[in-house]
Amino acid sequence: MKRNKMYHLIFMIVLISCNDLEEAIDASAILNKSIAAHDKNKNWNTTSIEIQIQEPRISNPKRYSILKLNNRSGTFELSRNREGHIVKYSINEKGENSVLLDDNEVIDSLVIKKYRLDTSRNSNYRRFYSMMYGLPMSIPEYLKTINDGGEVIFNKEACYKIVIELKEPIITKFWNVYISKKSNYVVGVEIFHEDDKEKGERMYFENLIEINEMKLPRIRHWLDLKNDDYGGSDIIIKEIN
């Protein structure tokens, strides 16, 4: 009798362990299928993209950026209009940072503060734009843990939900990623805070644009996670040739 109970206990432990492993494998498999759908030739890690982005926000409806991102060399450049000026954030091949205002260096601390010219922003901008515009291919670089969130309806579409924790925050560490069951494309994400899961933002993706044989989400609409209030959009206008 005791032996039967022990066998039963061992069986349950193995079953639970297998279920946990299956869950982790499923989430990773779903992510890998999505990566293959968006980037069938595995170009992301060596690609270079240059795009014009319209980024209207409720508080800044005329925001506009030009993004240059080279994953092979590690270089990054973001040019953005700000109060009638152009601010350019750059990281070169040596990892050196610079910020220019209308193509000029600025040393006046008041001007630096007014136009957000601090070079400490550069690495955060690069991680943000690399993550956002490389979805889902960019996830493995920043990933700490991944779990299966089940099958759900997201924006009226049947989706797989994968729950990820990042090594470092990109807005936060905690993201839900929604992948279409039909196409395996990423159709949206939710970014939330661990201590308050209603605090954060939700993004709905629309359409795809093909760049360097990769299919990237073209439009992202930002909404408040709790009440779905609209905050703004990111729209890839065109690729710069």
Side-chain angles (χ1 to χ4, degrees):
M1 196 67 184
K2 289 182 179 180
R3 180 175 294 179
N4 288 340
K5 287 184 178 179
M6 182 172 289
Y7 285 155
H8 180 71
L9 179 59
I10 292 171
F11 174 77
M12 291 302 295
I13 291 172
V14 170
L15 181 62
I16 292 169
S17 298
C18 287
N19 285 341
D20 289 343
L21 180 59
E22 183 181 356
E23 179 178 286
I25 291 172
D26 283 348
S28 296
I30 291 165
L31 175 59
N32 288 334
K33 283 183 181 179
S34 183
I35 290 172
H38 283 274
D39 184 16
K40 64 180 180 180
N41 294 321
K42 302 179 180 179
N43 289 332
W44 172 251
N45 289 333
T46 56
T47 199
S48 176
I49 62 174
E50 298 187 11
I51 51 178
Q52 296 179 1
I53 312 167
Q54 197 75 37
E55 300 174 302
R57 298 292 186 267
I58 293 297
S59 59
N60 185 7
K62 296 181 179 180
R63 196 169 95 169
Y64 180 88
S65 297
I66 294 176
L67 171 66
K68 299 180 181 181
L69 179 69
N70 190 318
N71 287 338
R72 184 185 294 275
S73 66
T75 58
F76 167 82
E77 183 179 291
L78 177 70
S79 301
R80 173 172 294 163
N81 63 319
R82 184 161 284 149
E83 297 183 24
H85 300 275
I86 300 296
V87 179
K88 184 184 293 183
Y89 304 89
S90 302
I91 301 175
N92 66 19
E93 292 182 1
K94 297 179 180 179
E96 298 168 336
N97 292 269
S98 66
V99 181
L100 303 178
L101 180 66
D102 297 328
D103 289 326
N104 296 307
E105 291 187 18
V106 176
I107 59 173
D108 187 319
S109 60
L110 293 178
V111 176
I112 289 172
K113 183 177 181 180
K114 179 179 180 179
Y115 294 106
R116 303 174 188 173
L117 308 180
D118 192 335
T119 56
S120 65
R121 292 177 174 270
N122 291 24
S123 60
N124 288 333
Y125 277 140
R126 179 168 63 179
R127 289 192 307 117
F128 173 83
Y129 279 92
S130 174
M131 179 68 165
M132 285 294 181
Y133 287 87
L135 284 171
M137 298 81 72
S138 54
I139 291 175
E141 178 181 355
Y142 302 105
L143 185 64
K144 181 179 179 182
T145 64
I146 180 169
N147 290 285
D148 181 7
E151 298 181 16
V152 299
I153 300 298
F154 181 82
N155 198 20
K156 300 180 182 179
E157 183 169 357
C159 292
Y160 298 110
K161 174 182 175 181
I162 60 175
V163 182
I164 64 174
E165 180 182 354
L166 306 179
K167 299 172 193 172
E168 298 179 68
I170 300 178
I171 302 180
T172 81
K173 284 187 176 183
F174 303 98
W175 291 44
N176 294 327
V177 181
Y178 295 90
I179 296 170
S180 167
K181 290 182 65 179
K182 182 178 180 180
S183 66
N184 287 318
Y185 294 144
V186 173
V187 296
V189 299
E190 292 174 337
I191 302 169
F192 62 93
H193 295 264
E194 186 180 31
D195 57 345
D196 184 355
K197 290 183 171 56
E198 291 188 339
K199 181 182 178 183
E201 294 174 285
R202 176 180 293 114
M203 276 174 276
Y204 297 123
F205 296 170
E206 291 182 9
N207 303 332
L208 296 168
I209 182 171
E210 186 164 319
I211 297 176
N212 299 341
E213 300 179 323
M214 300 176 297
K215 296 178 180 180
L216 308 180
R218 184 165 199 161
I219 302 172
R220 299 162 177 78
H221 298 301
W222 293 74
L223 297 95
D224 183 80
L225 185 59
K226 184 175 181 179
N227 52 35
D228 254 10
D229 285 346
Y230 175 78
S233 297
D234 299 332
I235 306 162
I236 299 177
I237 303 300
K238 66 177 182 178
E239 182 180 9
I240 303 170
N241 296 320

